[in-house]
């Protein structure tokens, strides 16, 4: 059964514009549509009327690239848990619903246009140390380092992060610690990451701070919003790694 | 046009080693003097940019996404092949080579495929060293599974997110080089033209997608890693942003485009649900390891799947291919599904899908094991279709997935434009007419990590000491002007229909006429209807907004414009190839059992199309394929 | 030095300061509460205990240390709150709570400031307050009578009780937060830590409230 909805969408020309909500009515919404397909439909209607389309980031539309964002009715990626916006379907909504759509809001995530934000701060955090320094061709045989299944599963759980930024969007302090902790956890659990372990956490946290993200106050909103269900215990690990790193460096020459 | 594949002499297992020794080297001090442009940051681009920067070259790297981590390689699910033979089940470099050539229906270049099989083992080592969390067994060693079209377990995987983990590995290597200052990264930049000087690739023109500025970038070589083009079908498993534009502009600047009609239709995708649909979702082929494909024996059977008794089900893959059963290669599985639906046996409201049933697997292994293996895929299916696959069989239908065709490259991965290298899905070289499962990741990473760092030297060494060209050169001004003109042209049409609408229409033509099966009549018809639709596009297109800002409509329109031209070339290529092979199935050329019928005598070549100008038909150049090691046979998976 | 300053100024460094000063303050709360219970042993015991405390020369060191910890906790908390606010310059039009956001967790700065305000009043009232009966010959203040006198004012008792509830609130989030911040919360103990945290908050608040209730309303 198709239905009608009202959309309140944040429109902002550019980083320098102040932005405002604009209201749109949309009819004939099919419950089988994905949320983004619903926005596609709106955009076609806008474009046919010669009006500017709503800009939003998206690419794979299967929940893995991390491009889509959208703060839907007060929740990053909308009402379904463990789901990205692109995998959210309109059957979750009903006739007459009013849906607020906002961009991720955080100081480091500047609005580029409408619902598109600049998440390059995440790239800079990874560039600060979210890697293992191994040049191409320097590797040993893959089975030379056995890694127990429990450990490798734990590393995988953290590595599943898609870098979408929902954690920042959800946190009342716009903290990026879940994102940072996921990478730190992955590389600190795996033996390959050990040589740079403490240097890495120190550098990544430092860049995270410079970018202007807020601080964790242990309220778990990030975990609840994460489409890949990254656990907040990673933040605890991040703290531990950071403390050990600083204590070690204080006592080393 | 001369097609020199530059395949080294000597026995196949020595070719790559010999070649590595024969290529000219660039000494470390000189590497610093070279600027290399890498376009695309998927598995091929990310790995190439990182590896070249590690060697000391100055790399400029571009991607259209907001971050290099979002390239569509990230969506690959199933796994990556490597001839490690960790499972002791008889795998070897030669077997992987053999399987790939055979899987590609004998339309790939032997020497390239052999090299790919050799390098496969290094890839796994490299990725593990980067911290890619591949699946492991309880002893801590790497786990493998078997994958579509292979009878050995050689596929390494990281749950259903192998592509993601490998790409994040490459992205981390790239990030490291960015932080070291060896790579200048340009996200949200789209390459809109290739700049050539005296026939050599010397740079690109990009559009900054945030503010619309058109920027020239000069380099000593250009490496295209811009992926495949199956979004020409509108609905595909590709990301929304995947496009042919970079390759296409290179083609128009002299790079030959090879085998455009070789497109892969993946058998396990979700069926289309309505007109609003923007993409098709793929579910890993690994599902076929435990799921059984069937349709009701009776066309009119209206019962729910669970109510249909065993003896009234047709497990048609197991029936037709007893040896491989549900694990036949993708092209075979896809075509079989299409045939069942065309013959009226399809299921679902529109009768355009077949069942993929896990009831047996759940009975055999228990729900928990099935959940551990495929949980995320089942969840994805449930989320999209609102049906519980633990209770009812999934419904699947094939969807466009991968392009085996692409820019023609020689053994060095250099195109027909000197200095223009093409890696990964964007080139044509390794998969022939059909790609085997878990081979795309292997090829992308082999090209980027282990091939281009050696072969690019051979080209660069020759240009040492020659004049440097910068963006003040007239060719860059011309390129900028051409790009600006093209954008202005699109913006000034001011018609009534959106680029999306034209794309959907083009996609329908391509899918019906040049999709899973093709016929001379349909292709001939398409050759008329595509230009007609293109004319409408250039007279009735509407784009809102301007060129000086983030404008997703404008981006889309530019890409659709190129898809029109590519679509026509695909049809032309399909029409030229009077045989059936791999992903290219011509209805006129099939065996009595409806299997693809090759014509090795006349079509054992790669068709490299050469651009001849706006109003002239492209010229066909043939690179004969010689098979010294693999015996040409009709593929059989029985 | 600047390197160590940077550590203390980093996000996690600041969290660690909050956690450690918080833990010390919690220790102070416990010992203070234990001392309070001497009220039930009679005026003499209580007055002697308090005299022993203030007449020990080490008290100045302890008080200085305690003041530093208090100030560290408060100033650091204010800086963190301001920074966190700055991290989201434009607020959402609509937000929903998805995780473990609680009234306590969202109002830490306010419950903290109220407790601080209470502390000031508390010091003015008792430590620097005017005794209701004169000190004994050897200088032992009759703190006991002062406390009884204050608590017999119902308004004061209610104010005291309200502040202690705020303190309990503050602690219910603070203690679990402390474990996470210091990286001590293993997932398997997380649930227990959460429950303990809330119980401790209730326990401390209840412990301190016994006195105004007893002396203000019962006795």
């Amino acid at each position: 059964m198709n239905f009608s909805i009202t959309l309140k969408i944040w429109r902002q020309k550019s980083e320098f514009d102040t932005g405002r909500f604009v209201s749109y009515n949309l009819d004939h919404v099919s419950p089988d549509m994905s949320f983004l397909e619903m926005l596609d439909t709106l955009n076609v209607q806008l474009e046919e009327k010669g009006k500017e389309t709503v800009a939003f980031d998206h690419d794979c539309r299967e929940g893995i690239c991390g491009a889509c964002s959208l703060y839907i009715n007060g929740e990053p990626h909308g009402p379904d848990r463990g789901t990205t916006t692109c995998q959210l379907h309109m059957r979750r909504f009903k006739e007459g619903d009013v849906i607020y759509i906002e961009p991720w809001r955080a100081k480091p995530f500047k609005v580029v246009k409408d619902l598109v934000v600049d998440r390059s701060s995440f790239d800079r955090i990874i560039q600060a140390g979210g890697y293992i320094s191994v040049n191409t061709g320097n590797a040993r045989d893959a089975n030379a380092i056995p890694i127990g299944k429990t450990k490798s599963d734990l590393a995988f759980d953290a590595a599943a992060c898609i870098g979408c930024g929902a954690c920042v969007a959800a946190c009342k302090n716009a903290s990026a610690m879940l994102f940072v902790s996921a990478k730190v956890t992955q590389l600190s659990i795996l033996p390959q990451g050990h040589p740079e372990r403490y240097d890495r956490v120190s550098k990544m946290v430092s860049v995270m701070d410079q970018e202007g993200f807020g601080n964790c106050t242990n309220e778990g909103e990030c975990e609840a919003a994460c489409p890949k269900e990254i656990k907040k215990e990673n933040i605890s690990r991040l703290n531990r790694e950071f403390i050990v790193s600083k204590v070690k460096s204080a006592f080393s020459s | 046009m001369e097609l020199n594949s530059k395949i080294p002499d000597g026995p196949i297992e020595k070719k790559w080693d010999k070649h590595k020794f024969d290529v000219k080297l660039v000494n470390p001090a000189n590497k610093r003097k070279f600027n290399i442009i890498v376009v695309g940051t998927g598995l091929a681009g990310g790995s190439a940019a990182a590896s070249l920067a590690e060697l000391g070259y100055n790399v400029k790297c571009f991607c259209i996404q907001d971050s290099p981590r979002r390239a569509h390689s990230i969506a690959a699910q199933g796994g990556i092949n490597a001839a490690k033979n960790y499972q002791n089940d008889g795998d070897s470099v030669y077997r992987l080579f053999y399987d790939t050539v055979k899987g590609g229906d004998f339309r790939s270049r032997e020497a390239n495929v052999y090299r790919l099989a050799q390098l496969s083992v290094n890839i796994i080592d490299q990725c593990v060293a980067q911290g890619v969390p591949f699946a492991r067994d309880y002893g801590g060693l790497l786990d493998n599974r078997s994958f579509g079209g292979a009878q050995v377990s050689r596929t390494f995987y990281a749950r259903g997110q192998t592509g993601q983990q490998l790409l994040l590995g490459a992205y981390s290597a790239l990030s490291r080089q960015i932080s070291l200052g060896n790579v200048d990264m340009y996200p949200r930049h789209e390459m809109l033209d290739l700049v050539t000087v005296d026939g050599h690739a010397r740079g690109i023109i990009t559009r900054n997608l945030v503010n619309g500025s058109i920027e020239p970038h000069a380099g000593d070589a250009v490496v295209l890693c811009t992926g495949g083009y199956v979004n020409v079908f509108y609905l595909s498993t590709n990301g929304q942003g995947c496009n042919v534009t970079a390759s296409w502009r290179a083609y128009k600047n002299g790079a030959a485009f090879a085998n455009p009609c070789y497109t892969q239709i993946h058998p396990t995708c979700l069926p289309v649900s309505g007109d609003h649909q923007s993409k098709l979702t793929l579910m890993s082929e690994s599902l076929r390891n435990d799921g059984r494909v069937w349709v009701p024996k009776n066309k009119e059977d209206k019962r729910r799947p669970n109510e249909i008794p065993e003896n009234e089900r047709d497990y048609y893959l197991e029936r037709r291919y007893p040896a491989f059963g549900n694990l036949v290669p993708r092209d075979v599985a896809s075509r079989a599904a299409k045939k069942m639906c065309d013959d009226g046996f399809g299921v679902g409201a529109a009768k355009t899908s077949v069942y993929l049933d896990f009831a047996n697997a759940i009975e055999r292994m228990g729900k928990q094991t099935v959940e551990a293996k495929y949980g995320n895929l089942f969840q994805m299916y449930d989320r999209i279709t609102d049906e519980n696959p633990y209770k009812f069989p999934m419904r699947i239908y094939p969807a466009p997935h991968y392009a085996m065709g692409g820019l023609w490259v020689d053994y060095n991965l250099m195109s027909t434009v000197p200095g223009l290298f093409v890696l990964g899905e964007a080139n044509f070289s390794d998969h022939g007419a059909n790609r085997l499962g878990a081979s795309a990741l292997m090829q992308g990473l082999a090209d980027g990590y282990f091939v281009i760092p050696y072969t690019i030297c051979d080209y660069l060494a020759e240009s040492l000491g020659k004049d440097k060209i910068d963006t003040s050169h007239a060719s860059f001004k011309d390129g900028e002007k051409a790009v600006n003109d093209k954008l202005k042209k699109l913006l000034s049409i001011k018609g009534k229909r959106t680029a999306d609408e034209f794309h959907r229409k083009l996609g329908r033509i391509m899918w019906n006429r040049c999709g899973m099966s093709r016929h001379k009549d349909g292709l001939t018809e398409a050759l008329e209807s595509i230009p007609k639709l293109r004319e409408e596009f250039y007279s009735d297109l509407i784009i809102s907004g301007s060129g000086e800002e983030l404008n997703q409509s404008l981006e889309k329109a530019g890409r659709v414009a190129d898809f029109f031209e590519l679509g026509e070339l695909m049809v032309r290529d399909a029409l030229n190839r009077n045989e059936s092979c791999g992903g290219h199935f011509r209805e006129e050329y099939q065996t009595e059992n409806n299997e693809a019928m090759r014509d090795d005598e006349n079509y054992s070549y790669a068709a490299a199309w050469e651009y001849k100008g706006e109003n002239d038909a492209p010229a066909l150049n043939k690179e004969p394929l010689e098979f010294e090691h693999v015996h040409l046979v009709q593929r059989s998976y029985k | 030095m600047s390197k160590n300053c940077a550590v203390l100024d980093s996000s996690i460094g600041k969290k660690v300061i909050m956690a450690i000063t918080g833990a010390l303050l919690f220790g102070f709360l416990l010992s203070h509460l234990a001392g309070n219970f001497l009220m039930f042993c009679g005026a003499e015991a209580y007055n002697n205990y308090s005299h022993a405390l203030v007449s020990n020369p080490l008290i100045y060191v302890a008080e200085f240390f305690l003041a530093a910890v208090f100030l560290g906790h408060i100033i650091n908390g204010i800086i963190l709150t301001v920074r966190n606010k700055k991290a989201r310059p434009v607020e959402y039009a609509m937000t929903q709570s998805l995780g473990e956001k609680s009234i306590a967790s969202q109002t830490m700065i306010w419950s903290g400031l109220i407790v601080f305000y209470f502390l000031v009043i508390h010091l003015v009232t008792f430590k620097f307050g005017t005794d209701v009966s004169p000190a004994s010959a050897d200088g032992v203040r009759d703190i006991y009578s002062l406390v009884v006198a204050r608590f017999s004012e119902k308004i004061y008792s209610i104010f005291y009780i309200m502040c202690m509830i705020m303190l309990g609130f503050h602690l219910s989030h603070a203690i679990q937060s402390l474990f996470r911040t210091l990286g001590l919360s293993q997932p398997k103990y997380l649930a227990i830590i959460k429950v303990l945290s809330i119980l401790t908050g209730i326990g401390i608040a209840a412990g301190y409230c016994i006195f105004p209730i007893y002396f203000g309303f019962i006795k």
Side-chain angles (χ1 to χ4, degrees):
Chain A
M1 262 319 231
N2 289 0
F3 56 95
S4 305
I5 49 172
T6 303
L7 299 166
K8 306 259 185 201
I9 301 179
W10 183 261
R11 302 300 308 259
Q12 185 172 339
K13 261 300 222 188
S14 72
E15 187 191 323
F16 311 104
D17 184 19
T18 43
R20 71 216 61 86
F21 282 99
V22 178
S23 188
Y24 302 94
N25 293 317
L26 193 63
D27 303 326
H28 310 298
V29 175
S30 154
D32 289 331
M33 278 180 178
S34 72
F35 197 84
L36 297 183
E37 284 163 354
M38 182 274 292
L39 286 180
D40 289 343
T41 311
L42 172 73
N43 273 344
V44 168
Q45 293 181 9
L46 289 176
E47 194 146 50
E48 283 172 351
K49 286 183 209 150
K51 292 185 182 162
E52 267 208 56
T53 52
V54 179
F56 59 92
D57 265 325
H58 64 102
D59 191 30
C60 77
R61 298 208 175 185
E62 47 189 276
I64 194 76
C65 74
C68 64
S69 49
L70 306 191
Y71 200 79
I72 302 164
N73 276 347
E75 295 172 280
H77 292 301
D80 283 345
R81 297 284 74 87
T83 306
T84 54
T85 296
C86 64
Q87 298 229 289
L88 173 66
H89 280 70
M90 292 310 291
R91 64 178 78 94
R92 217 41 187 77
F93 300 90
K94 58 181 193 306
E95 174 70 35
D97 274 358
V98 177
I99 306 173
Y100 278 83
I101 310 176
E102 300 178 66
W104 286 173
R105 295 196 193 276
K107 185 168 159 244
F109 288 174
K110 297 233 159 30
V111 173
V112 174
K113 186 180 180 182
D114 298 339
L115 304 168
V116 176
V117 297
D118 176 4
R119 286 171 285 192
S120 54
S121 46
F122 271 16
D123 289 322
R124 287 189 289 276
I125 291 174
I126 297 294
Q127 285 156 21
Y131 47 75
I132 289 170
S133 297
V134 52
N135 279 2
T136 305
N138 280 352
R140 296 190 273 171
D141 183 84
N143 259 348
I145 327 162
I147 303 166
K149 187 166 164 54
T150 328
K151 260 192 181 179
S152 93
D153 283 352
L154 210 56
F156 185 95
D157 289 340
C161 169
I162 56 175
C164 64
C167 46
V168 174
C171 177
K172 81 178 206 297
N173 311 320
S175 166
M177 284 200 190
L178 192 67
F179 169 76
V180 177
S181 70
K183 190 45 82 182
V184 165
T185 297
Q186 180 202 347
L187 299 182
S188 67
I189 286 180
L190 295 174
Q192 301 95 302
H194 280 186
E196 300 164 281
R197 182 173 177 179
Y198 296 113
D199 200 28
R200 171 183 308 119
V201 66
S202 169
K203 286 176 174 167
M204 287 179 76
V205 168
S206 163
V207 171
M208 172 183 84
D209 290 350
Q210 281 165 32
E211 294 289 341
F213 290 102
N215 213 324
C216 175
T217 44
N218 302 312
E219 291 165 273
E221 297 294 309
C222 50
E223 177 186 271
C226 176
K228 295 295 143 185
E229 299 176 317
I230 308 279
K231 296 274 172 285
K232 62 179 177 295
E233 67 206 43
N234 291 322
I235 299 184
S236 207
R237 185 187 295 273
L238 168 74
N239 295 336
R240 193 160 66 232
E241 295 284 319
F242 183 82
I243 294 167
V244 173
S245 144
K246 291 303 174 190
V247 170
K248 274 185 177 249
S249 79
F251 291 103
S252 67
S253 46
Chain B
M1 179 181 279
E2 186 76 33
L3 294 177
N4 181 358
S5 57
K6 297 197 188 133
I7 298 170
D9 333 316
I12 195 156
E13 59 281 357
K14 296 271 161 44
K15 280 183 197 289
W16 177 234
D17 287 342
K18 178 174 179 301
H19 190 66
K20 280 197 287 188
F21 183 75
D22 288 344
V23 290
K24 297 180 196 79
L25 295 179
V26 177
N27 83 43
N30 282 333
K31 285 195 176 103
R32 284 198 291 275
K33 296 178 189 161
F34 287 115
N35 300 313
I36 298 174
I37 288 173
V38 177
V39 187
T41 56
L43 287 176
S47 59
S51 302
L52 292 171
E54 284 164 9
L55 288 170
Y57 297 108
N58 300 308
V59 177
K60 272 189 179 185
C61 188
F62 298 82
C63 71
I64 54 173
Q65 297 85 356
D66 69 325
S67 160
R69 67 180 292 153
R70 306 205 201 284
H72 196 63
S73 304
I74 203 153
Q77 298 170 354
I80 175 167
N81 286 332
K84 282 279 197 187
N85 194 26
Y86 282 157
Q87 303 307 321
N88 195 31
D89 58 357
D91 198 14
S92 62
V93 167
Y94 196 87
R95 186 177 296 282
L96 175 54
F97 154 70
Y98 181 89
D99 285 353
T100 307
V101 173
K102 178 188 168 197
D105 218 353
F106 309 97
R107 289 293 174 264
S108 48
R109 201 187 277 152
E110 269 192 347
N112 284 49
V113 178
Y114 195 89
R115 174 176 67 186
L116 178 65
Q118 280 177 303
L119 295 175
S120 67
V121 297
N122 303 86
I123 297 171
I124 302 301
D125 299 344
Q126 184 65 29
C127 295
V128 166
Q130 288 169 343
V132 170
F134 281 120
R136 287 173 185 268
D137 57 28
Y138 285 95
L141 302 180
L142 292 159
D143 193 20
N144 293 116
R145 61 183 171 200
S146 71
F147 215 70
Q151 285 177 310
V152 291
S153 288
R154 62 159 76 99
T155 304
F156 293 79
Y157 64 100
R159 290 193 203 153
Q161 287 132 275
T162 318
Q164 181 201 21
Q165 294 309 317
L166 294 175
L167 182 65
L168 293 181
Y171 163 74
S172 71
L174 175 62
S175 296
R176 174 168 161 248
Q177 292 306 314
I178 295 171
S179 73
L180 293 170
N182 301 332
V183 176
D184 284 332
M185 185 66 223
Y186 294 82
R188 290 202 202 268
H189 276 67
E190 181 168 23
M191 167 182 161
L192 290 182
D193 213 351
L194 177 75
V195 177
T196 57
V197 176
D198 301 329
H200 286 246
R202 300 313 292 264
I204 60 172
I205 308 289
T206 61
R207 178 168 181 270
N208 177 330
L209 299 181
V210 174
N211 60 22
S213 74
I214 304 298
E215 300 158 359
H217 298 275
D220 297 284
V222 176
V223 183
L224 287 193
C225 313
T226 49
Y229 52 78
V230 289
N231 262 352
V232 70
F233 292 107
Y234 184 72
L235 285 180
S236 82
T237 66
N238 277 193
Q240 299 290 296
C242 296
N243 66 79
V244 75
T245 292
S247 294
W248 197 252
R249 309 284 164 104
Y251 163 73
K252 289 178 123 179
N253 276 289
F257 207 112
N259 303 333
C261 79
Y262 290 166
T263 48
Q264 179 166 76
I265 313 295
H266 194 288
T268 48
C269 302
L270 299 183
V272 180
S273 76
D275 271 347
H276 51 77
Q277 196 137 351
S278 61
K279 83 157 272 155
L280 294 169
T281 303
L282 175 141
M283 286 180 305
S284 168
E285 190 169 20
S286 61
L287 289 173
R288 286 199 281 145
N289 285 349
D290 290 302
R292 299 176 70 195
V293 177
W294 64 276
V295 292
K297 279 185 180 162
N298 178 2
K299 282 184 202 183
E300 311 302 326
D301 208 326
K302 294 252 154 52
R303 286 174 291 182
R304 303 195 63 152
N306 293 6
E307 293 158 5
I308 301 176
E310 277 297 308
N311 59 1
E312 291 178 46
R313 301 175 176 193
D314 180 9
Y315 294 92
Y316 60 87
L317 286 178
E318 294 167 28
R319 172 170 57 80
R320 284 173 63 181
Y321 309 100
F324 279 69
N326 293 298
L327 294 175
V328 289
R330 292 175 176 175
D331 55 335
V332 178
S334 292
R335 236 171 2 248
K338 177 178 159 57
K339 180 157 171 44
M340 296 322 283
C341 293
D342 288 352
D343 292 350
F345 292 95
V347 297
K351 291 180 91 63
T352 52
S353 49
V354 298
Y355 289 127
L356 177 62
D357 200 336
F358 281 85
N360 278 126
I362 291 173
E363 208 171 292
R364 193 178 72 239
M365 307 188 280
K367 190 182 163 197
Q368 252 183 337
T369 313
V370 171
E371 199 172 344
K373 271 177 122 167
Y374 307 111
N376 61 331
L377 297 167
F378 277 42
Q379 194 189 15
M380 183 162 84
Y381 182 88
D382 192 356
R383 204 168 280 155
I384 295 172
T385 62
D386 209 17
E387 282 170 36
N388 181 350
Y390 292 102
K391 287 194 182 142
F392 302 102
M394 295 182 176
R395 288 189 303 112
I396 55 166
Y397 197 66
H401 173 56
Y402 186 88
M404 281 76 68
L407 293 176
W408 186 90
V409 290
D410 62 18
Y411 191 72
N412 286 333
L413 302 183
M414 189 162 83
S415 70
T416 52
V417 175
L420 176 69
F421 293 80
V422 189
L423 276 56
E425 190 180 350
N427 76 24
F428 90 111
S429 69
D430 295 355
H431 305 297
N434 172 56
R435 179 174 66 73
L436 285 184
S439 286
L441 306 183
M442 172 171 73
Q443 187 221 341
L445 290 178
D447 286 0
Y449 282 134
F450 298 111
V451 179
I452 191 73
Y454 291 94
T455 59
I456 204 167
C457 295
D458 208 33
Y459 170 78
L460 293 174
E462 281 185 10
S463 52
L464 260 179
K466 290 193 184 148
D467 284 349
K468 282 279 171 194
I469 285 173
D470 63 28
T471 53
S472 59
H473 191 278
S475 301
F476 283 91
K477 299 286 163 240
D478 295 346
E480 276 181 64
K481 187 175 176 307
V483 166
N484 272 319
D485 289 350
K486 195 169 166 86
L487 293 173
K488 265 187 211 134
K489 184 176 167 190
L490 290 172
L491 282 164
S492 63
I493 299 170
K494 299 198 189 303
K496 289 200 162 49
R497 284 186 279 169
T498 63
D500 219 41
E501 192 184 329
F502 283 108
H503 191 187
R504 187 179 287 136
K505 282 200 165 143
L506 170 68
R508 210 163 287 152
I509 298 176
M510 294 306 294
W511 180 242
N512 291 335
R513 305 298 190 201
C514 197
M516 238 188 301
S517 75
R518 296 128 186 212
H519 190 278
K520 186 176 177 225
D521 299 342
L523 292 166
T524 318
E525 195 277 326
L527 219 41
E528 284 170 17
S529 54
I530 296 172
K532 212 178 281 169
L533 187 63
R534 188 172 70 221
E535 239 169 70
E536 289 174 36
F537 174 82
Y538 280 107
S539 63
D540 200 22
L541 174 72
I542 182 167
I543 299 173
S544 61
S546 73
E548 287 81 41
E549 58 179 334
L550 178 74
N551 188 338
Q552 292 169 325
S553 310
L554 177 62
E555 292 165 27
K556 171 102 208 194
R559 293 167 194 166
V560 173
D562 291 332
F563 276 136
F564 269 112
E565 297 177 21
L566 166 81
E568 208 178 314
L569 188 70
M570 278 173 68
V571 171
R572 218 176 269 281
D573 188 42
L575 202 50
N576 167 68
R577 192 166 283 279
N578 291 316
E579 63 161 351
S580 293
C581 58
H584 170 64
F585 187 78
R586 281 279 297 269
E587 289 160 16
E588 308 96 299
Y589 308 99
Q590 51 182 311
T591 65
E592 282 170 14
N593 305 323
N594 309 108
E595 302 296 347
M597 197 161 72
R598 286 197 327 269
D599 177 355
D600 293 327
E601 203 160 308
N602 296 306
Y603 291 95
S604 186
Y605 63 77
W609 299 89
E610 181 186 355
Y611 184 68
K612 286 289 184 190
E614 203 73 46
N615 302 314
D616 295 298
L620 173 63
N621 299 278
K622 298 175 183 176
E623 181 204 343
L625 298 171
E626 277 148 36
F627 294 92
E628 292 167 18
H629 295 84
V630 179
H631 185 53
L632 285 174
V633 288
Q634 150 117 51
R635 276 196 310 168
S636 167
Y637 292 95
K638 284 194 194 298
Chain C
M1 182 58 203
S2 68
K3 195 179 152 202
N4 290 335
C5 267
V7 175
L8 299 182
D9 196 42
S10 71
S11 51
I12 299 179
K14 284 234 168 306
K15 277 159 49 113
V16 171
I17 295 176
M18 286 311 279
I20 292 175
T21 52
L24 292 170
L25 293 175
F26 180 69
F28 166 72
L29 279 177
L30 281 181
S31 59
H32 192 305
L33 182 59
N36 284 7
F37 275 102
L38 282 174
M39 292 278 291
F40 293 118
C41 301
E44 203 186 329
Y46 188 71
N47 287 343
N48 285 342
Y49 157 74
S50 95
H51 185 71
L53 271 184
V54 293
S55 57
N56 187 332
L58 279 177
I59 189 71
Y60 296 105
V61 180
E63 280 180 341
F64 177 78
F65 179 69
L66 194 57
V69 169
F70 256 114
L71 285 178
H73 194 75
I74 294 163
I75 294 171
N76 206 48
I78 292 173
I79 295 176
L80 270 177
T81 309
V82 170
R83 279 193 195 170
N84 287 344
K85 284 275 164 233
K86 272 192 187 162
R88 173 161 297 133
V90 183
E91 283 294 331
Y92 289 112
M94 189 195 254
T95 49
Q96 291 188 29
S97 180
L98 318 166
E100 304 156 19
K101 211 189 264 176
S102 61
I103 301 175
S105 76
Q106 285 175 283
T107 53
M108 287 301 273
I109 185 73
W110 302 115
S111 56
L113 288 174
I114 289 171
V115 171
F116 178 59
Y117 173 69
F118 168 80
L119 175 73
V120 174
I121 300 281
H122 189 70
L123 287 176
V124 169
T125 315
F126 296 113
K127 188 167 171 63
F128 303 110
T130 322
D131 292 350
V132 287
S133 52
S136 69
D138 45 3
V140 178
R141 277 177 73 194
D142 189 2
I143 285 284
Y144 181 86
S145 303
L146 177 61
V147 172
V148 173
R150 285 290 89 85
F151 281 154
S152 59
E153 296 164 22
K154 293 220 164 38
I155 298 284
Y156 183 83
S157 285
I158 289 170
F159 166 72
Y160 189 100
I161 290 168
M162 301 289 267
C163 290
M164 288 307 108
I165 292 174
M166 275 296 139
L167 176 66
F169 235 57
H170 196 80
L171 287 174
S172 69
H173 178 70
I175 290 173
Q176 48 175 309
S177 203
L178 181 152
F179 277 91
R180 288 183 189 165
T181 297
L182 295 180
L184 304 172
S185 68
Q186 292 295 330
K188 51 188 164 186
Y189 304 127
L190 203 64
I192 304 175
I193 290 174
K194 269 179 79 171
V195 173
L196 278 182
S197 182
I198 293 169
L199 287 181
T200 312
I202 296 173
I204 294 278
Y208 276 103
C209 284
I210 288 175
F211 305 98
I213 291 173
Y214 181 75
F215 292 104
F217 296 93
I218 298 174
K219 200 173 166 189

